[in-house]
Amino acid sequence: MDYDRVIVELLNRIGALEDRVAALEGKAPVAKDEPTQEVSKKYRYLADYLHNSNRDNIRLTFSEIEEILKTKLPSSAHNHRAFWANTTSHSIALSWLTVGYETVEVNTAEQYIVFEKKRKYGMEG
């Protein structure tokens, strides 16, 4: 039996139930279908790319990201790992965070980054 698949399915069902409870309580659940308006126009193409990929892990080179964005990345993206931090204070980070991804690997030497789809509901206790 694939226990990981079963656990993810159960967590997704729990999430759906939480959304129903929120609706019954008059609280609007966070939309999960579309990127939010928080993403800046400059980085919207990256958000759309990730959102439409439907993959759990995505490895992109900096050149591929520049092709997606249709513009060059700033030099800090090539030289500083902090540029790729999962923080809401950076506009580029919002492009992946708002569509449910986070950076899990950054290699500035080889010029690539790995995004991973966040679990909707963590198991932290």
Side-chain angles (χ1 to χ4, degrees):
M1 176 175 262
D2 184 0
Y3 291 108
D4 288 337
R5 184 183 54 78
V6 171
I7 291 170
V8 169
E9 185 177 320
L10 288 172
L11 291 172
N12 287 337
R13 287 182 181 184
I14 291 168
L17 289 172
E18 288 175 337
D19 288 347
R20 285 180 155 174
V21 169
L24 290 171
E25 292 176 343
K27 300 175 186 172
V30 175
K32 298 176 187 96
D33 295 339
E34 291 294 325
T36 66
Q37 297 301 317
E38 296 175 29
V39 179
S40 71
K41 288 181 181 180
K42 182 176 181 178
Y43 298 118
R44 182 63 183 215
Y45 290 123
L46 181 58
D48 291 343
Y49 177 88
L50 294 170
H51 176 71
N52 293 327
S53 72
N54 293 318
R55 294 181 4 219
D56 290 335
N57 290 294
I58 302 170
R59 182 185 185 274
L60 294 171
T61 65
F62 292 175
S63 296
E64 290 170 325
I65 293 171
E66 289 175 337
E67 287 177 29
I68 291 166
L69 293 174
K70 301 176 182 169
T71 189
K72 293 283 185 191
L73 289 167
S75 60
S76 57
H78 295 272
N79 302 316
H80 303 288
R81 196 226 176 279
F83 179 87
W84 301 101
N86 294 309
T87 176
T88 58
S89 63
H90 292 115
S91 58
I92 191 167
L94 289 174
S95 68
W96 60 79
L97 293 172
T98 59
V99 294
Y101 284 87
E102 60 188 0
T103 57
V104 293
E105 183 180 351
V106 177
N107 188 320
T108 55
E110 295 184 31
Q111 304 283 286
Y112 73 85
I113 186 164
V114 177
F115 298 97
E116 183 174 276
K117 191 158 206 107
K118 296 185 290 186
R119 291 188 177 188
K120 290 183 183 176
Y121 303 96
M123 303 243 337
E124 300 84 39

